[in-house]
């Protein structure tokens, strides 16, 4: 901001087309620097971690629609499959909370596709629970069976699927 202010001062001083008083130049510089400072401070960093944290906080505070928007943005900003999987899982959980079951199923399936082993099993449990909410016990059983197969019966996730 200071460098820009100095550059502005030099540009105005060199200009013969704008006969300005020193007071006018100082006022223009003050306005410009204040505007630039406001821009620098007022714009929060928009990144994956920021969207994830804000989405979780909004969900806890009951801002479900805003939370959904933040998790969708996080999914778009994700740098890799691990981040995309985490964003999709949080999005799915939030959509489930909003009772938007079809969208929740899609997000959870995407998270499952992108996730490794035990996390995949946990998502199978989530999908099984979603199938029960949709009154589809056969599909729920398939998801729980898949969770047991992926996690193994000796793991905590496998025991949850039993």
């Amino acid at each position: 901001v200071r460098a820009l202010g100095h550059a502005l001062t030099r540009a105005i001083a060199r200009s013969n087309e704008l006969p300005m008083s020193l007071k006018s130049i100082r006022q223009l510089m003050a306005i410009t620097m204040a505007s630039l400072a406001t821009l620098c401070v007022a714009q929060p960093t928009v990144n994956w971690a920021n969207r994830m944290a804000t989405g979780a906080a909004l969900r806890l505070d009951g801002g479900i629609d805003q939370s959904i928007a933040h998790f969708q943005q996080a999914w778009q900003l994700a740098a890799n499959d691990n981040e995309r999987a985490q964003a999709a899982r949080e999005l799915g959980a939030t959509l489930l909370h909003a009772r938007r079951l079809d969208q929740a199923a899609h997000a959870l399936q995407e998270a499952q596709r992108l996730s490794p082993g035990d996390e995949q099993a946990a998502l199978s449990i989530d999908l099984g629970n979603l199938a029960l909410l949709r009154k589809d016990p056969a599909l729920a059983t398939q998801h729980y069976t898949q969770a047991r197969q992926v996690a193994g019966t000796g793991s905590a996730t496998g025991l949850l699927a039993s």
Side-chain angles (χ1 to χ4, degrees):
V1 174
R2 283 186 191 147
L4 192 54
H6 291 301
L8 180 61
T9 302
R10 284 191 306 270
I12 291 172
R14 289 182 192 148
S15 173
N16 293 327
E17 298 171 13
L18 297 174
M20 299 178 86
S21 69
L22 186 56
K23 182 179 178 182
S24 295
I25 292 171
R26 285 184 180 152
Q27 287 173 342
L28 181 59
M29 280 181 43
I31 291 168
T32 302
M33 290 178 69
S35 297
L36 288 171
T38 301
L39 284 173
C40 291
V41 172
Q43 299 299 319
T45 302
V46 177
N47 60 34
W48 178 84
N50 176 279
R51 297 291 95 185
M52 292 293 287
T54 305
L58 287 166
R59 184 175 58 206
L60 287 173
D61 289 340
I64 300 301
D65 289 334
Q66 294 169 320
S67 176
I68 289 168
H70 277 73
F71 289 131
Q72 288 170 333
Q73 291 171 2
W75 191 86
Q76 293 171 349
L77 293 168
N80 55 53
D81 283 349
N82 183 44
E83 288 183 357
R84 269 187 285 288
Q86 289 177 49
R89 183 169 191 179
E90 292 301 323
L91 176 60
T94 307
L95 288 164
L96 190 57
H97 187 81
R99 295 289 190 232
R100 291 161 59 176
L101 303 183
D102 290 341
Q103 291 174 311
H106 178 71
L108 292 172
Q109 288 165 350
E110 178 68 7
Q112 185 183 39
R113 183 183 70 77
L114 295 169
S115 296
D118 213 38
E119 185 68 20
Q120 223 177 41
L123 284 156
S124 290
I125 292 172
D126 291 345
L127 287 164
N129 294 341
L130 176 59
L132 287 177
L133 284 173
R134 295 167 122 182
K135 301 188 184 327
D136 191 343
L139 181 58
T141 300
Q142 288 176 2
H143 285 298
Y144 295 142
T145 300
Q146 181 182 13
R148 280 191 304 276
Q149 289 171 346
V150 171
T153 55
S155 75
T157 305
L159 291 173
L160 287 173
S162 297

